[in-house]
Amino acid sequence: MTAKNNRIFQSKEDFLTQYRDACETFAGKGFEELNDQERYYVLASLVASKAKNVRAAARPEGKEVYYFSLEFLIGPLLDNYLLNFGVRDIVEEGCNDLGTPLDRLLSQEVDPGLGNGGLGRLAACFMDSMAALGINGNGNGMRYRYGLFKQVIKEGRQVEKMDNWLEHGFPWETRKNESAVIVQFGGNVVRHEENGRYWFTQEGGDLVKAVPYDVPIVGYGGKTVNNLRLWSAEPAEENFDLDAFNAGDYAKAMKFRSDVEAISQILYPNDSGEHGRILRLKQEYLFVSAGLQTILRTYEKKFGPKWEDLGKHVAIHTNDTHPAMCGPELMRILVDDKGVDFDLAFKIAQETISYTNHTVMPEALEKWPINTFRALLPRTYMFIEEIDRRYRESFPHDRDNWQDLLAQTAILWDGQVRMANLSVIFSHSVNGVSALHTGILEAETLHGFYELTPEKFNNKTNGISHRRFLGNANPSYARLISNTIGDGWLSDANELKKLEPYADDASFLEEFEKAKLENKRRLAKYIADTTGVELDTSMVFDVQVKRFHAYKRQLLNVFKILDLYNRIISDSSFQPRPTAFVFSGKAAQSYTFAKEVIRLINSVAEVVNSDARVNDKIRVAFVPNFAVSSAQLIYPAAEISEQISWAGSEASGTSNMKLMMNGAITLGTYDGANVEICKLVGEDNIKIFGLRTEEVENLRASGKYWAWDAYNADRPRLGRIVDELTDGTLAHLSGNFESIRDELMVNNDHDLVLKDFYSYVSAWEELTASYADRKAWNRSAVLNTARSGYFSSDRTIREYANDIWHIGD
Ligand SMILES: *Cc1c(COP(=O)(O)O)cnc(C)c1O
């Protein structure tokens, strides 16, 4: 071996030798005797062991960041880690020599569903960027035995299946028995007093053992390997019901075990009315308490009991309110276990903790009944109550509206613990996730806090891992880009700017179009294989892929498709640009409306795809089981990115960024990060439609919006589509759609589908009409990529590091 570098394999030959050895080590057989799943498993295990070696050899000095998130939607890791270690080409060639293409091995990898969607994926992108930037980033989350359900479609309906993601084992994780900690639930608080000094202990209740599973996070360049720590709940041995067991009452003995294990059994779906489930509160406390105990143990080993300096060496970031208990729990440990004074403990908590809000709608903010909370976490609750009491006691009375401000900002109110208020009060920094969203937080959702402590508030527009979502997901385009401007963009996404001059280079645009076509073919094949729907790759690929939610308005997209359908049939002169509409996404199990919209899309797909009068102009496909792996196939093939939430509802969105980066043109409302996309690409390279945030607010405030007016104003067109929901047109697959019609006409169209309909359809028609000029379209698409560097999560993390975590101060 010659030059020393960070590569884990020095050459193809070196890789092959190590891989063959690893087959014996990890599987006890030669490569030839293994099946594809085993071959994948060995390769992943080999890369994982390399990652662990790098981490053991080089832990950089500097502040430790702990990112607390109930969700990490990490996606498949192998391809990404090969890219980050700089050995993807070597391994690809080596696998070809072995007669087993790398792609075949990659397709064996599980896609762990440890998150719902955007929020969990953001946490995963942040882990990638922290490692790429050499920040000591630690993830702290939950190891759910079953991830988010697997979605299958039966008669157009979503059916949920268990996600047994650990079936074949997970080669990336390492169980750390020696790092397990005890977490206590329930019991009673007992006051002790001696010589005028008093203290409290929590007695009885259930003791749960939190066992960590560590997943290495490989940074780009392979220099930094960070750790994602996921907690699993097990009975603490001393509390396992041995008496019952010894007495032969195995059922009783096992019940305790399964009650405890239930804590890390499943990931809760969001948007589902599942709020208020006690198991969820247990999950939140388990990963908070276990994470904090670990942080303090690590800190004490390094710095001794200098707790007043904790915030200098440690940053704890809370992703939404799920880890809101970090504040009071940190105080509890410092005061009860470490003997720190109450006021100092609060100061330490505030200096150390920061909070990201992801919610615009006040009714969606997390709250727990005080009684539930106190019964489960009696001692931690006392800290909340005391902080709330002092907050009220010292609340400044110098403003006319002080009572209103207090009512808005107190933690305890109306019998409930308000988790957002808890998070803000215990944090030194509060951020929103796009410029528009932060503005709404300041002006509305958290306005009281903004009036009192404006200095806490800041914006951190979300970002995405451009390495995964362009580098890994779109190899044909990534290769073209690297051949054109070099591969520096992988470490510095701003270098994508260098593509701008090529937006006017005819041969580059042709190559871009070829890459796009390759991606469209790849997706069309996947869709044909999984759904049987054939998409013509000469059609425009128009995609809306994301969780199903009323505010995201997949229904508006369906209305557009039905409008096209009706017009093509009734007007032979109407010639829309042939388009394939691709949908994908899950709805929470109990979210009836969202599930009906999925059924509607599949019903429309069946009608449209089988009708020879229209199916050469429009096709509709619903790709089942949206997940990171399928997302990586869909984004690169997209030409139109549908981002059509009503303005003021989507906090940021991140698929809008991934799609832009892959050269899709956004058709969207002026919402979330679409606003910033618009500013970056310019109005010529995006299509914005619909009401603006203020217009939505004014319309709602006026009380003058009537869905029936919209219906009556255009019976033949818009009214007809509403009628088609219930007149049998779409009923063939599994019935009509009364509840969707009711949502529009009885509930007065809360999400303004009918209101934005015309503006939306016109925008779509204008946008697709411009597709005919291939050069102009491709120019616009390339400019979207060239100007997308801002949306790398590297940029976002740099901002967190500078402004919130104060790394390098
Ligand atoms: C990016 C991503 C999301 C977020 O999509 P939005 O359109 O921003 O809601 C959800 N799920 C997966 C798998 C993703 O990769």
Side-chain angles (χ1 to χ4, degrees), residues 73 116-118 121 469 545-547 552 626-628 631 635 643 650 653-656 658:
L73 192 54
N116 273 283
R121 185 54 232 175
F469 287 105
V545 294
K546 49 185 71 234
R547 280 302 280 255
K552 291 178 183 277
F626 190 53
V628 177
Y635 299 138
Q643 307 296 339
E650 186 77 87
T654 48
S655 76
N656 45 3
K658 300 172 209 167

